[in-house]
Amino acid sequence: MKLTERRKKMLAFIAEFVEENNYPPSIRDIGAACDISSTSVVKYNLTKLEQYKLIRREKEVSRGLSLDWARLQEEGLADGLAGAPSTHQDGNGSAFSFFQVPVLGYIAAGEPIQVETTDHSNADEWLELNETLYRNPDQLYALRVQGDSMIDASVLDGDIVILRHQERAENGEMVAAWIDTQNETTLKHFFLEGDQVRLRPANPSYPEMFLPAAEVSVKGKVVSVIRQLE
Amino acid sequence: MKLTERRKKMLAFIAEFVEENNYPPSIRDIGAACDISSTSVVKYNLTKLEQYKLIRREKEVSRGLSLDWARLQEEGLADGLAGAPSTHQDGNGSAFSFFQVPVLGYIAAGEPIQVETTDHSNADEWLELNETLYRNPDQLYALRVQGDSMIDASVLDGDIVILRHQERAENGEMVAAWIDTQNETTLKHFFLEGDQVRLRPANPSYPEMFLPAAEVSVKGKVVSVIRQLE
DNA sequence: CTTGACAACGCACAGATGTTCTTGTATAAT
DNA sequence: ATTATACAAGAACATCTGTGCGTTGTCAAG
């Protein structure tokens, strides 16, 4: 969208003002900041900006205006503005640059343990991550690794693995696999071989598991490993 | 903090109104919502709330008020309120639950490379992390690992290591060590043995380094390892 | 040149909004 | 009983603030 210098300046000022004061500027505030002597000129341009749907305005309400960050970002106008959310924001224009991932519990890297990965309600802990690192954060969840069966893949006991929820996996990927007959989820390398699934630990002292494909369902793929050393 | 029902209701309404409209309510808005017929009563209670530092108010500015989420959370009053930030916020009430750590560049896990860990200005990249995981975030920085000399410590080529800046290290800790004579920083296990420092890689195919303690300075200790698999 | 759309200006006005003053009630302390 | 304090109400006031309208300047199209 093409915007006059003046209107850009107005947007910038509004953003800055809200960032600074937590409430929107009045028409005269804007005028003073943008070297517009007449209130009506401010109103005129505000109306334009509202027509472009870059701002919202409540008639006859003092300071009744707000920026529409979603639109501003669509139009690539959010960059220079103060307090611009990096990617997301809630309905109010408040900036949220992080998201939360539920830590659902422990996952076996030795013996399988029971984990229900689809139920986020009983998450006892939440990890906050940044979306510059991850896409589709709503599909993510985290598990604490228990056991050392993935040690050769450099996943240690106590590490946190972040998984993307998905039902299918490529051969060789590290996945959380639900084993039907045992009511358990385990962390293994995944290989589909005909109608058999091979779940391979990354530690020679643990055995591989061969199971009918029907008895194994992939609960998610490991997309990240985080280790805290202190 | 003990608060009358009326004032709680006012806080709740202000939060809800801001959540809804993106601009604060007027005194009369509040009065209507909280069944207060007189504007002065609203003002009276607002003044009280301001004295408790639960809200901020700009004199003689219409709708010039905002909630102080930090205080509200301190007092345990943020719970029922609309749009409450999950954990932290900056001075303006915007929610920020993360902080940024500079990614200063690459660190050798094979051959040492030059890194100046104290200069944050030339960071080419920033990682955003959450402080529930880390303390003293201002002392943190990150490096991308290059090489596989720490592979036995489960630190792989391409991993990001997060370090806490410190000059001293305990024996056995994984540190970024600056080698004076070579103008280089490297990632190794640290051992002080008399007046000699032993820098041990975690890969048998790389040699240990023995250096006079005077020639080695610790630039930071690894506190976390992050690996992205996709 | 004229015309019309657009941008900009200044001013006056009305409605929106915070402030102040006076009054009244209830409760607790003196 | 008296006083002090917190809470509440209503009305009058001052000012903040958005709106409307007439005017001017620019610029491209007719």
Side-chain angles (χ1 to χ4, degrees):
Chain A
M1 172 164 308
K2 219 173 61 177
L3 230 48
T4 65
E5 232 17 76
R6 185 168 251 181
R7 286 169 195 171
K8 278 188 211 165
K9 195 171 177 184
M10 288 173 61
L11 286 177
F13 171 71
I14 294 170
E16 191 190 325
F17 190 99
V18 172
E19 179 82 0
E20 194 79 28
N21 300 285
N22 272 75
Y23 52 80
S26 71
I27 280 192
R28 284 170 179 82
D29 288 334
I30 299 171
C34 301
D35 301 304
I36 303 172
S37 63
S38 170
T39 57
S40 64
V41 176
V42 177
K43 178 189 161 72
Y44 168 72
N45 286 292
L46 282 181
T47 306
K48 286 295 179 188
L49 289 174
E50 191 184 12
Q51 282 168 2
Y52 302 152
K53 296 194 187 300
L54 297 174
I55 63 173
R56 286 170 245 110
R57 224 157 104 68
E58 194 64 31
K59 276 178 56 175
E60 321 200 345
V61 168
S62 65
R63 301 172 190 271
L65 83 175
S66 61
L67 298 175
D68 188 328
W69 288 107
R71 283 278 301 155
L72 285 167
Q73 283 188 158
E74 271 176 37
E75 302 291 346
L77 295 165
D79 278 348
L81 307 186
S86 60
T87 319
H88 288 323
Q89 74 287 327
D90 59 29
N92 313 312
S94 300
F96 280 92
S97 206
F98 67 95
F99 55 90
Q100 295 187 315
V101 172
V103 180
L104 296 173
Y106 290 84
I107 187 169
E111 303 304 314
I113 349 176
Q114 178 171 355
V115 172
E116 186 42 74
T117 57
T118 47
D119 180 16
H120 288 196
S121 59
N122 55 4
D124 53 341
E125 196 182 348
W126 291 76
L127 261 186
E128 290 176 11
L129 300 172
N130 174 267
E131 38 200 323
T132 59
L133 293 175
Y134 306 93
R135 53 190 175 77
N136 296 21
D138 48 314
Q139 298 169 8
L140 297 180
Y141 60 97
L143 292 170
R144 250 175 228 290
V145 175
Q146 208 168 56
D148 56 359
S149 82
M150 297 306 282
I151 197 166
D152 282 358
S154 290
V155 176
L156 307 186
D157 187 21
D159 285 3
I160 292 172
V161 289
I162 297 176
L163 300 103
R164 165 159 293 117
H165 186 266
Q166 55 184 51
E167 311 283 336
R168 301 177 49 78
E170 302 296 314
N171 278 358
E173 288 183 339
M174 198 187 302
V175 302
W178 168 267
I179 303 168
D180 239 356
T181 52
Q182 306 179 26
N183 263 24
E184 286 164 338
T185 305
T186 182
L187 187 66
K188 296 280 193 302
H189 286 292
F190 174 91
F191 297 90
L192 181 60
E193 299 175 343
D195 56 354
Q196 288 265 310
V197 168
R198 183 158 58 96
L199 297 177
R200 180 167 61 74
N203 184 332
S205 36
Y206 289 86
E208 294 193 345
M209 304 177 73
F210 282 95
L211 296 164
E215 292 179 15
V216 176
S217 56
V218 172
K219 289 297 183 180
K221 177 180 105 182
V222 174
V223 299
S224 189
V225 180
I226 296 179
R227 180 177 314 139
Q228 294 291 111
L229 298 184
E230 72 164 8
Chain B
M1 174 165 305
K2 220 173 62 177
L3 231 51
T4 63
E5 226 26 70
R6 187 168 247 180
R7 287 169 194 171
K8 278 189 210 164
K9 195 170 177 185
M10 286 173 64
L11 286 176
F13 171 71
I14 294 171
E16 189 190 328
F17 190 98
V18 172
E19 178 85 0
E20 194 79 26
N21 301 285
N22 273 73
Y23 51 80
S26 71
I27 279 192
R28 285 172 177 81
D29 288 336
I30 299 172
C34 301
D35 301 304
I36 302 173
S37 64
S38 169
T39 56
S40 65
V41 176
V42 177
K43 178 191 162 70
Y44 168 72
N45 287 291
L46 283 181
T47 305
K48 287 295 179 188
L49 289 174
E50 192 185 11
Q51 282 168 2
Y52 302 153
K53 296 194 186 304
L54 296 175
I55 65 172
R56 283 170 246 110
R57 223 158 107 68
E58 193 64 32
K59 279 178 55 175
E60 322 200 345
V61 168
S62 66
R63 300 170 191 271
L65 84 175
S66 61
L67 298 176
D68 187 330
W69 288 108
R71 285 277 303 154
L72 286 167
Q73 285 188 157
E74 273 176 38
E75 302 292 345
L77 295 164
D79 279 348
L81 307 186
S86 59
T87 322
H88 291 314
Q89 74 289 324
D90 62 25
N92 311 313
S94 302
F96 280 93
S97 206
F98 65 93
F99 57 91
Q100 293 188 315
V101 172
V103 180
L104 296 173
Y106 290 84
I107 188 169
E111 302 306 312
I113 346 177
Q114 180 173 354
V115 172
E116 186 42 73
T117 56
T118 49
D119 180 17
H120 287 194
S121 59
N122 55 5
D124 55 340
E125 196 183 347
W126 292 77
L127 260 187
E128 290 175 14
L129 300 173
N130 173 268
E131 36 200 327
T132 59
L133 293 176
Y134 305 95
R135 52 191 176 79
N136 296 23
D138 49 315
Q139 297 169 8
L140 297 180
Y141 60 98
L143 292 169
R144 247 176 231 290
V145 174
Q146 209 168 57
D148 55 358
S149 81
M150 298 305 283
I151 197 165
D152 281 359
S154 291
V155 177
L156 306 186
D157 188 19
D159 284 3
I160 293 173
V161 289
I162 297 175
L163 300 103
R164 165 159 292 117
H165 185 268
Q166 57 185 52
E167 311 282 339
R168 302 178 47 77
E170 302 296 315
N171 278 359
E173 288 184 338
M174 199 187 302
V175 301
W178 169 267
I179 303 168
D180 240 357
T181 52
Q182 306 179 25
N183 264 25
E184 285 164 340
T185 304
T186 182
L187 188 67
K188 295 281 193 302
H189 286 293
F190 174 91
F191 297 90
L192 181 60
E193 299 175 343
D195 56 353
Q196 288 264 310
V197 168
R198 182 158 58 97
L199 297 177
R200 180 168 60 76
N203 185 331
S205 39
Y206 288 87
E208 293 192 346
M209 302 177 74
F210 281 95
L211 295 164
E215 289 180 17
V216 177
S217 55
V218 173
K219 289 297 185 181
K221 177 180 104 182
V222 175
V223 298
S224 187
V225 181
I226 296 179
R227 181 178 312 139
Q228 295 290 111
L229 298 182
E230 71 165 5

